[in-house]
């Protein structure tokens, strides 16, 4: 869909077009949790999208994957997981991937390498995988005997930096304002 106004912002931008700029979701800064490796007790979150783990996604269009009664339980589950699995569903961008990183888990995104470059999220240092064997190899290489490797810590820090600089509500707002008013310093 092209732009309807002088400046349009699209989350699922596939083709470059004059006056249309990429944007994406944002998560409030107060949702970013401290990281506590001692509380991690599972490989990945309970609410993973079925497609991300090579299962039949029979819950599309339903809320069957909503297994928690409140948001705090959901974030606790994410924060206790070493990894957060994600995959394309309605689009490449989803609040889930921001929540995974904000909870202090490393984001693993199935087939992320297929995402169009202008589709949100842009420049996210996500780890991509395409097979279950590849997924398990990534996880076992990054966490050994429930201890994060230096590579795990490096990736987690890179993803958290990306989130703070690009994926918060404030960062998204600043980028939009700087696009509309390039002479200003927001």
């Amino acid at each position: 869909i092209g732009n309807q106004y002088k400046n349009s912002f699209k989350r699922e931008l596939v083709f470059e077009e004059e006056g249309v700029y990429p944007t994406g979701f944002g998560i409030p800064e107060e949702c970013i949790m401290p990281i506590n490796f001692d509380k991690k007790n599972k490989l990945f979150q309970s609410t993973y999208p079925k497609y991300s783990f090579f299962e039949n996604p029979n819950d599309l269009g339903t809320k069957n994957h909503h297994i928690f009664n409140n948001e705090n339980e959901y974030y606790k589950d994410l924060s206790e997981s070493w990894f957060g699995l994600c995959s394309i569903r309605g689009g490449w961008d989803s609040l889930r991937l921001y929540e995974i990183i904000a909870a202090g888990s490393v984001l693993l995104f199935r087939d992320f390498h297929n995402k169009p470059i202008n589709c949100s999220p842009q420049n996210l240092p996500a780890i991509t995988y395409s097979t279950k064997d590849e997924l398990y190899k990534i996880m076992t290489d990054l966490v050994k005997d429930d201890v994060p490797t230096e590579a795990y810590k490096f990736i987690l820090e890179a993803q958290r930096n990306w989130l703070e600089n690009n994926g918060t509500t404030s960062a998204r707002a600043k980028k939009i304002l700087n696009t509309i008013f390039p002479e200003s310093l927001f």
Side-chain angles (χ1 to χ4, degrees), residues 102-157:
S105 298
V106 166
L107 172 67
L108 303 178
F109 202 117
R110 181 175 173 183
D111 298 323
F112 192 71
H113 61 279
N114 292 332
K115 181 187 78 63
I117 195 163
N118 287 323
C119 254
S120 191
Q122 300 86 22
N123 303 312
L124 171 63
I127 305 299
T128 186
Y129 63 95
S130 296
T131 67
K132 206 173 214 182
D133 287 341
E134 187 178 13
L135 172 62
Y136 277 118
K137 176 154 181 28
I138 290 167
M139 291 189 291
T140 57
D141 284 351
L142 293 175
V143 175
K144 298 186 181 291
D145 298 320
D146 285 326
V147 176
T149 63
E150 290 304 313
Y152 178 95
K153 292 175 186 176
F154 178 82
I155 294 163
L156 181 59
E157 182 179 346

Side-chain angles (χ1 to χ4, degrees), residues 39-186:
K39 291 192 176 182
K40 295 201 177 287
N41 58 29
K42 61 180 125 199
L43 211 47
F44 52 86
Q45 82 272 31
S46 303
T47 56
Y48 62 89
K50 291 181 181 279
Y51 183 76
S52 69
F53 197 58
F54 305 92
E55 296 173 358
N56 182 23
N58 57 7
D59 61 346
L60 296 177
T62 71
K63 293 189 177 186
N64 293 345
H65 58 281
H66 291 207
I67 61 174
F68 296 109
N69 292 322
N70 66 58
E71 198 172 48
N72 290 336
E73 291 177 21
Y74 170 69
Y75 283 113
K76 182 176 183 280
D77 179 65
L78 287 174
S79 70
E80 291 175 348
S81 305
W82 287 106
F83 300 98
L85 304 184
C86 200
S87 60
I88 189 170
R89 284 185 63 162
W92 288 99
D93 200 17
S94 75
L95 201 49
R96 176 186 320 101
L97 63 92
Y98 300 80
E99 294 165 340
I100 288 167
I101 298 169
S105 298
V106 166
L107 172 67
L108 303 178
F109 202 117
R110 181 175 173 183
D111 298 323
F112 192 71
H113 61 279
N114 292 332
K115 181 187 78 63
I117 195 163
N118 287 323
C119 254
S120 191
Q122 300 86 22
N123 303 312
L124 171 63
I127 305 299
T128 186
Y129 63 95
S130 296
T131 67
K132 206 173 214 182
D133 287 341
E134 187 178 13
L135 172 62
Y136 277 118
K137 176 154 181 28
I138 290 167
M139 291 189 291
T140 57
D141 284 351
L142 293 175
V143 175
K144 298 186 181 291
D145 298 320
D146 285 326
V147 176
T149 63
E150 290 304 313
Y152 178 95
K153 292 175 186 176
F154 178 82
I155 294 163
L156 181 59
E157 182 179 346
Q159 290 182 352
R160 297 276 283 209
N161 285 338
W162 177 89
L163 181 66
E164 291 170 1
N165 295 317
N166 301 283
T168 63
T169 51
S170 295
R172 292 289 186 196
K174 284 178 188 174
K175 185 169 182 178
I176 289 171
L177 290 172
N178 285 329
T179 300
I180 296 172
F181 307 108
E183 65 283 348
S184 300
L185 296 173
F186 288 99

Side-chain angles (χ1 to χ4, degrees), residues 12-31:
E12 295 293 328
L13 185 59
V14 177
F15 303 105
E16 287 189 38
E17 184 178 332
E18 187 177 340
V20 182
Y21 304 95
T23 191
F25 287 122
I27 193 166
E29 289 84 348
E30 58 268 18
C31 292

